Amino acid sequence: GHAMFQPEGVALARDFLQLEAQHKRLEAAQWKSLEAIQCRHTVAEVQRASSVGALERRIDRVRCEREHVADRNLAIRERACTYQLQVGNHPASEAGGANGGGAAGRRA
């Protein structure tokens, strides 16, 4: 009566256990593969984020440089206007004042 202890039953049990072990190995390999894919996705996201961060830092740097140049130009413009007003108030400099003053105006 004990069918499982007959040679066929023993072979079935052995095959079942082998297949179950193989199934576990395949499942573990599948999880490793999924983890590797997730890891690659994470790396790609981090790389994208860092390149976006680098671009943002560069944009900030350029914006800061442009603001600095704009401030400097404004200061130069204000000085030029003040200079023109001062030059315009002195009759002695009228000879060169017609074309903007300076060395070029005096040579004319």
Side-chain angles (χ1 to χ4, degrees), residues 24 30 43 52-53 55 59 61-62 64 67-73 81 103:
K24 284 181 180 174
Q30 189 178 28
V43 166
V52 165
L55 281 173
I59 288 168
R61 204 167 43 245
V62 168
C64 197
E67 285 172 6
H68 175 74
V69 168
D71 289 346
R72 189 190 65 204
N73 288 353
C81 287

Side-chain angles (χ1 to χ4, degrees), residues 18-89:
Q18 283 177 346
L19 285 170
E20 196 172 52
Q22 185 179 3
H23 176 74
K24 284 181 180 174
R25 284 193 301 273
L26 288 172
E27 209 169 40
Q30 189 178 28
W31 278 113
K32 274 187 183 176
S33 176
L34 277 174
E35 286 172 1
I37 290 167
Q38 287 174 332
C39 186
R40 283 195 297 274
H41 282 295
T42 302
V43 166
E45 283 174 25
V46 168
Q47 286 173 337
R48 272 195 297 275
S50 68
S51 64
V52 165
L55 281 173
E56 285 175 347
R57 285 190 298 277
R58 189 170 170 200
I59 288 168
D60 285 343
R61 204 167 43 245
V62 168
R63 184 183 303 123
C64 197
E65 288 169 6
R66 288 183 67 173
E67 285 172 6
H68 175 74
V69 168
D71 289 346
R72 189 190 65 204
N73 288 353
L74 178 64
I76 291 170
R77 192 177 309 115
E78 287 172 351
R79 277 192 217 128
C81 287
T82 304
Y83 177 74
Q84 275 190 329
L85 287 172
Q86 288 172 348
V87 168
N89 290 336

